[in-house]
Amino acid sequence: MANNTTNTTCPDITKYRCNTGLILPLVSEYTWPEEGRAAIYLIGLLWSFLGVSIIADSFMCAIEKITSKTRKIKVANTGSEEGYDTIEVKVWNNTVANLTLMALGSSAPEILLSSFGIVKTKFEADALGPSTIVGSAAFNLLVIIAVCIFCIPSPETRGIASIKVFCVTSFFSVFAYVWLIIILIGNTPNEVDLWEAIVSLLFFPLLVIIAYVMDKDYCSKKKKIDDSAVELGFADEKRRHTLADGTVDKKAMAEFLKELGKHPELTEEDAAKLAAMRIQETQSHDRLWYRINATRKMTGANKLVPTVNALLHDLYEQSHKRSTPDLRVGSSTSMLSAVDLSENNTRAVIEFTATQCAVLENEKRVRCGIKRTGRKDHQILCRVKTIDGTAEANKDYIPVRQTLVFEPGETLKNLDIEIIDDNEWEPDETFFVQLQIDPEQKAIVGKKSINQVTIINDDEPGTIQFNKPSFLFKESAGKALIPIQRLHGVDGKISVTWKTQDIEAISGRDYEGGEGTITFEHGESTKMLEIQLYDDQDEEKDESFKIELSDPTGNAQLGRIKKTIITIVNDEEFQGMVSRVLQMTNLNIDALRVETATWAEQFQNAMNVNGGDVENATALDYIMHFFTFGFKVIFAMVPPVGIFGGWLSFFIALGMIAILTILIGDLATNFGCLVDLDDAITAITFVALGTSLPDLFASKQAATQEKYADNSIGNVTGSNSVNVFLGLGLPWTIAAIYHSSQGNTFQVPAGDLGFSVILYTIAALLCIGLLFARRYLSIFGKGELGGPMKAKVASSVFLCVLWLLYVVISSLQIRGHITVNLSN
């Protein structure tokens, strides 16, 4: 009998489309639908970008620790007892640090991706790594600079301070890519010789040396500097910074508290938070600080700037506008008349005529006055909107959101808001009206930017009382202004008698006591009682006196707080408060430091949203913390930067970045394959954007916060050239050495890469030319960033269009829709 057998062949589940990678795929994806695989790889790619940002945080904290190392030197000073001063100076020069470790910190993923690409292809040319470097350079130079130009409020500008260093880095940021054109197309088309690769790598130390020489200004005639100011080349830096190690002295703190003095309801804890906020704002930060803070904002981690509520932030902004500190603690009237907000009538000042007003519910309408001072010869548009307090929109009043127009010469506008009379008794309720002005206009919102509207119960004369049972005033303030409130009605004219009574303070010696009458006109809800204070300049304890209200007229009633204690604080007590606030401020600053001291602190920050500051965490913080929780916990195992001066953390974090970079390379390659995208297109789009977004946010913050543009755009040009010299010079040198040992040459097809480099070079020349035009032409405001609204919008749009053209034209050439023969 014949033996009938059927020969069946089992499919090889190891062979399927898009499965090449050093690590991925981890399991066989033979039976997976390609659409599902593409979605998984895309999600994994985006998630890995977050992971790289988080571990890069630890990496850059280590770099910050390394580059902030100082040494003590002795400087001659004939005025001191020893004949010299001992000062601390940084071991690392700022320019050298920016172009070496700091550039490595921001560009490590691109450099490692290019290096691992060579290993992955067995020392043959890789498309993903080099194209990512060029694509990232295009995004950094064009898009980041466009955003930095636009984000500066008009007509403010930011300029490059170290222009010589910027010229060097700008030259090399173009020369690096011209050099690629020379070796890929001109000298040895489609191949890289060993000497070409080595020279590419050696350009990196050459760039650092030339930039250092320019930074130290060795080629220029030296300016004579007074010996007492000499700091071995750091004299300029010493004058630039007013804060040391994130702390502030008692004198500066006292001045700051005097600025905040007109708000007696402000607690010492609140003052300490605002002081920490001022320190972080006024202190100059390096590029790494902004990169770390941007990453932490993206991932819901602990921020490097203090977070305060909206009311404290408004208070801070108001005090920040003052040029002369207010010494009167407890004053509730404006002391800022000496500050000319109109800048000598060069711009208009728009504000409310009063900070608060009251309306009876049955009047059904309240009118808020808005006045214009300063410049009056042009049209101004201001926006007004209502904000709920205890009164609710559409229930107690009709909300308003509209634009008012001040025509030339017009100085007063009235805003009518409809009040809803519901015929039900309710306690007094409040809402707010806010003024806003677009920054491009030649106008500014004045001090009275918010008007509090109180809706008062109908037909009641009201109750009269103090708004607090006690007040604190500084002895040298000169006078105490105590607010007296009229609640639950403002109908008719009423009055109330006040009388002082000595406690420790003696009338006629410490203050001007007595008695008198306060009169409220119809509709008035607040009056100020003014008491003269005497500063005897004697060392004495706090002294108090009492004020009591009595005998209201017009059927008015006395409220619950009809007595108040006024405490006069002498200078010694004020200094004690300064010391307490200073101590709390330093604790707040310590909590905002870049690095962590222990593993326990690292895990605590990693496992808690916003680093444990749950009170100030936003919804986005919670979302991003959820998605990045795993990465945070894993990377918390990196040793604290305090161990071995940050070097141990540096190398371990670099190793973790290397592992993630391999994953990103595999994810990007397989994703591009699944959606039929060439590696070069994937590189200049998805990968370039994913690795550059943290730099975008960091540069934007640096542009708005720093006085100069060096940290926002100056480092972009430096990192772009470092990417070529290290990111291509290093792997190409390794590959060229390997091929030389095999008796052949390292082949690098010039087609797609060479065309992309040519496009970038053209765009870079146009971008740098625009920056120099903005620096010297008045139409742009003579500043690299910011300037007049139309000019800065035009500049930003121009650069963004250049980037879009670069991406589109490069992609069309890669796909074969544009044919360019770059080979001989």
Side-chain angles (χ1 to χ4, degrees), residues 726-775:
L726 282 183
L728 294 182
L730 180 60
W732 283 3
T733 298
I734 296 172
I737 292 174
Y738 171 79
H739 282 281
S740 295
S741 67
Q742 301 296 315
N744 51 45
T745 57
F746 176 42
Q747 299 295 316
V748 181
D752 297 341
L753 179 61
F755 185 75
S756 179
V757 170
I758 291 174
L759 287 180
Y760 166 79
T761 304
I762 295 172
L765 289 171
L766 292 174
C767 176
I768 293 173
L770 174 64
L771 288 178
F772 278 97
R774 290 182 56 84
R775 181 179 181 87

Side-chain angles (χ1 to χ4, degrees), residues 30 94 104 226 340 375 416 421 460 470 515 527 664 690:
Y30 180 81
N94 287 336
L104 180 61
D226 181 55
D340 183 12
R375 186 175 177 180
D416 291 332
D421 188 359
E460 293 288 341
S470 63
E515 61 181 295
K527 300 291 283 188
I664 288 176

Side-chain angles (χ1 to χ4, degrees), residues 533-604:
L533 303 180
Y534 300 133
D535 186 0
D536 52 20
Q537 298 183 344
D538 292 335
E539 294 187 7
E540 52 191 2
K541 297 181 179 180
D542 298 348
E543 299 171 323
S544 304
F545 63 94
K546 181 172 65 175
I547 305 176
E548 184 174 358
L549 300 177
S550 63
D551 302 329
T553 64
N555 293 322
Q557 302 292 324
L558 290 179
R560 184 173 56 87
I561 309 175
K562 56 187 178 183
K563 298 179 182 180
T564 188
I565 302 296
I566 309 300
T567 302
I568 305 172
V569 182
N570 60 25
D571 290 338
E572 289 74 21
E573 179 61 25
F574 178 72
Q575 292 301 321
M577 182 177 67
V578 169
S579 298
R580 293 191 298 272
V581 174
L582 178 62
Q583 185 178 9
M584 287 186 285
T585 300
N586 286 329
L587 290 175
N588 289 337
I589 290 295
D590 184 65
L592 298 171
R593 67 186 187 276
V594 169
E595 74 275 3
T596 51
T598 64
W599 264 296
E601 187 178 354
Q602 289 185 174
F603 278 102
Q604 180 182 358

